[in-house]
Amino acid sequence: MLLHGIDAERVHVRVEGEPAPGRYLLYWMGRSQRAHDNPALAWAVAEADRLGRPVVVLATLDTEAPEVSERALAFQLEGLQETARELAERGIAFLARAGDPAERVLELAADACLLVCDGAYLRRPRALRLRVAESAGVPVVEIEGDVVVPAEVASSRLEVAARTFRPRVQEHLGRFLGLPELRPPRVAAVDPGLGEGLDLARPDLRARELAGGRGPAPVSRHHPGGSRHAMERLERFADERLARYPEERRRIEGRSGSELSMYLRYGQISPLRVIERLRRTDVPPETAGAFVEQLVVRRELAVNYVVRQPDYDRYRGVPAWARATLAAHRADARERLVSDEALLEAATGDEAFDAAMLEMLETGAMHPTLRMYWGKRLLAWTADPEQGFERTLELNNRYFLDGGDANSFAGVAWCYGLHDRPFPERAVFGTVRSMTAAGLRRKYDPARYVAEVRRRVGAPVAPS
Ligand SMILES: Cc1cc2nc3c(=O)[nH]c(=O)nc-3n(C[C@H](O)[C@H](O)[C@H](O)COP(=O)(O)OP(=O)(O)OC[C@H]3O[C@@H](n4cnc5c(N)ncnc54)[C@H](O)[C@@H]3O)c2cc1C
């Protein structure tokens, strides 16, 4: 069933009731930072039309989140600058504000007739939505716009692996592929009178000011934020590289994937738009299927993990069999223990690992295969698995532009056995899958990867 053109299973009434007399309908843009392909926005405009009110869009930047950084803020602000422009062209009022998102929303909710927000899966954004719903004093509707198959439709249990999740998600995939249509609003944008929003003219300056010294630095030169860049990447990927995707994933030199993860992380592109574009290519279905396996099955398996595992951000969220085998090997001698300084100077002495660190520190991203190697090495080179897990998650969420997502927690936990199976027993890892420098050399050409990263970040091609 469709509600205002949106599948009813994406629409959740959080606070019921008659619309209040407020001047406008408020759409709180939290997760899906885009002006198009956005079901919450499309629904908000249609409902505002029905109520005869204008829509006000408020985007919030959570500068009180523990992992906030200038890098992540700059990426979001670059995107919001474009979103603001696009909404203005459509006659929709927009403002962005920073701070505690719940407080910012409640300030504007006081004058609203109804509040619409987009969905979220992680603890902090969920708690913010709950706080807002409890205090808004108006009906609240939450609309999922971040995944293809809504999490509660895909599975009602904690899935153990892609093989158990895949058939469930595939069963529903077809009926959730529709893109929402955004109609021009019938009621003109409200005269703001809403107070100041953030000045988006200079995202770099604004990010520095809001971050207040909390690095790392922005990486716009490598990964500029915004839906336009996301779409350009998607176009290039679909036209030039999708056909080679399965074979490119088996190399570590050269680009490997779509590099869309940071845009998906902040909702600057919808996964539905990505699929729609792929369907217009003539690559064989099994090739497109290899990509959909990552974009839908793996990505939404990560969402299943954070939704169904309350300890998703703690070591104890890792499956019991994996924790048991890692505990049995806790006292094993480590090949080495690396200090935080050596990590942050990309100077552990393992060339591929150090190049991966450099890629992360300087560009905010990392080749997918190296990311697995990176996580596995951090397990091997830290005193115990608990500390290894925490350290990896902290680095992941601070430095990567796509950090702080469901994928981040599932990706790090994967290094500790999540969604995986036991392998032959080895030191330190027990029966958790290991990855070693020798294995990397056997399968790939790490020297080319090292040279390429160093060239890209402007470091001398041979490490000193
Ligand atoms: C230790 C570790 C940490 C990770 N941390 C993150 C993270 O913070 N954020 C993040 O988005 N991904 C994370 N991943 C998953 C994966 O490495 C990245 O999604 C991928 O490298 C992004 O590159 P891409 O966009 O070119 O991927 P593509 O190959 O083009 O895939 C398309 C999309 O599918 C999704 N995807 C791809 N691989 C995976 C995967 N293994 N699990 C879940 N979704 C996937 C991503 O959204 C990606 O953008 C992590 C993996 C590991 C092993």
Side-chain angles (χ1 to χ4, degrees):
M1 190 179 62
L2 296 181
L3 301 173
H4 289 324
I6 307 300
D7 197 296
E9 282 162 294
R10 291 195 193 276
V11 181
H12 303 279
V13 177
R14 297 297 183 210
V15 177
E16 292 189 357
E18 287 302 305
R23 290 192 294 137
Y24 47 76
L25 184 150
L26 181 63
Y27 163 39
W28 169 22
M29 180 184 273
R31 167 85 193 186
S32 301
Q33 299 176 1
R34 59 179 186 269
H36 50 265
D37 302 336
N38 181 336
L41 176 62
W43 194 93
V45 169
E47 179 66 3
D49 277 354
R50 190 181 72 83
L51 297 173
R53 306 286 215 299
V55 175
V56 168
V57 178
L58 169 70
T60 54
L61 290 173
D62 187 356
T63 46
E64 302 203 349
E67 69 281 3
V68 71
S69 72
E70 190 179 335
R71 176 171 290 183
L73 286 170
F75 187 81
Q76 293 176 79
L77 286 159
E78 285 157 10
L80 290 177
Q81 188 184 44
E82 191 185 320
T83 302
R85 214 178 302 128
E86 216 178 305
L87 287 173
E89 282 162 17
R90 291 171 184 265
I92 299 175
F94 172 84
L95 72 167
R97 283 189 178 159
D100 175 332
E103 281 174 22
R104 298 293 85 82
V105 173
L106 290 172
E107 284 159 9
L108 293 192
D111 263 343
C113 61
L114 189 140
L115 173 65
V116 175
C117 61
D118 40 35
Y121 298 107
L122 300 180
R123 189 174 298 111
R124 181 171 166 84
R126 284 244 51 84
L128 289 168
R129 279 159 180 73
L130 209 62
R131 261 174 69 205
V132 166
E134 278 165 6
S135 309
V138 295
V140 178
V141 181
E142 182 175 315
I143 299 179
E144 145 54 40
D146 186 47
V147 293
V148 179
V149 181
E152 62 285 357
V153 176
S155 173
S156 55
R157 60 172 212 194
L158 176 66
E159 296 289 340
V160 294
R163 93 189 116 73
T164 64
F165 184 61
R166 193 176 298 113
R168 296 177 198 274
V169 86
Q170 278 171 348
E171 180 192 337
H172 301 286
L173 194 60
R175 71 190 168 93
F176 285 105
L177 291 178
L179 278 160
E181 191 190 337
L182 180 59
R183 302 222 166 87
R186 270 195 241 127
V187 184
V190 70
D191 164 17
L194 302 166
E196 287 287 293
L198 285 172
D199 177 357
L200 297 171
R202 287 288 305 273
D204 53 342
L205 296 184
R206 202 61 56 235
R208 190 171 316 151
E209 182 185 295
L210 292 173
R214 291 168 290 180
V219 286
S220 317
R221 182 166 74 86
H222 299 283
H223 303 288
S227 298
R228 185 172 55 83
H229 292 290
M231 283 307 294
E232 282 170 11
R233 262 185 202 195
L234 174 61
E235 285 298 320
R236 267 199 316 276
F237 177 71
D239 285 345
E240 298 163 20
R241 298 189 16 246
L242 174 64
R244 297 196 304 272
Y245 182 73
E247 102 201 27
E248 281 189 357
R249 281 184 73 79
R250 291 194 287 272
R251 296 196 318 237
I252 57 173
E253 65 281 5
R255 304 270 182 219
S256 159
S258 63
E259 297 182 296
L260 285 173
S261 56
M262 57 287 279
Y263 299 97
L264 289 160
R265 155 72 180 92
Y266 290 107
Q268 294 179 354
I269 194 166
S270 157
L272 296 172
R273 174 58 65 189
V274 179
I275 294 184
E276 185 278 334
R277 180 61 185 85
L278 300 189
R279 291 169 104 189
R280 285 190 281 114
T281 63
D282 51 12
V283 301
E286 58 284 8
T287 303
F291 183 76
V292 171
E293 169 71 15
Q294 303 302 323
L295 177 75
V296 182
V297 178
R298 292 281 166 181
R299 183 167 181 269
E300 298 187 12
L301 179 61
V303 170
N304 171 270
Y305 180 57
V306 302
V307 169
R308 305 282 170 205
Q309 170 53 271
D311 287 322
Y312 68 79
D313 52 351
R314 300 189 181 99
Y315 179 68
R316 61 172 184 265
V318 166
W321 70 265
R323 275 183 287 128
T325 186
L326 290 166
H329 288 268
R330 172 184 288 274
D332 290 0
R334 264 64 185 161
E335 160 197 320
R336 69 176 91 171
L337 291 177
V338 296
S339 65
D340 289 344
E341 291 72 31
L343 283 178
L344 294 178
E345 284 165 16
T348 67
D350 176 317
E351 282 194 10
F353 182 92
D354 288 342
M357 280 300 294
L358 208 56
E359 192 180 4
M360 175 186 93
L361 295 169
E362 299 293 323
T363 78
M366 191 185 286
H367 187 288
T369 305
L370 265 299
R371 205 157 181 178
M372 295 188 237
Y373 179 69
W374 171 79
K376 293 288 187 180
R377 287 293 87 199
L378 284 171
L379 188 170
W381 295 342
T382 309
D384 60 53
E386 291 85 350
Q387 288 182 53
F389 180 90
E390 277 172 26
R391 180 187 225 189
T392 312
L393 202 53
E394 156 72 20
L395 288 169
N396 191 92
N397 290 353
R398 176 152 301 282
Y399 289 95
F400 287 118
L401 276 177
D402 63 12
D405 201 4
N407 278 353
S408 318
F409 299 97
V412 171
W414 174 85
C415 297
Y416 292 76
L418 177 73
H419 299 152
D420 210 357
R421 62 179 172 83
F423 281 75
E425 196 150 2
R426 303 177 75 133
V428 180
F429 287 85
T431 56
V432 167
R433 181 198 297 256
S434 78
M435 281 177 86
T436 61
L440 199 73
R441 280 195 299 274
R442 238 189 345 266
K443 285 188 166 164
Y444 307 103
D445 187 350
R448 285 184 63 180
Y449 167 72
V450 172
E452 201 171 288
V453 168
R454 298 188 72 81
R455 216 175 12 252
R456 204 173 326 142
V457 304
V461 170
S464 50

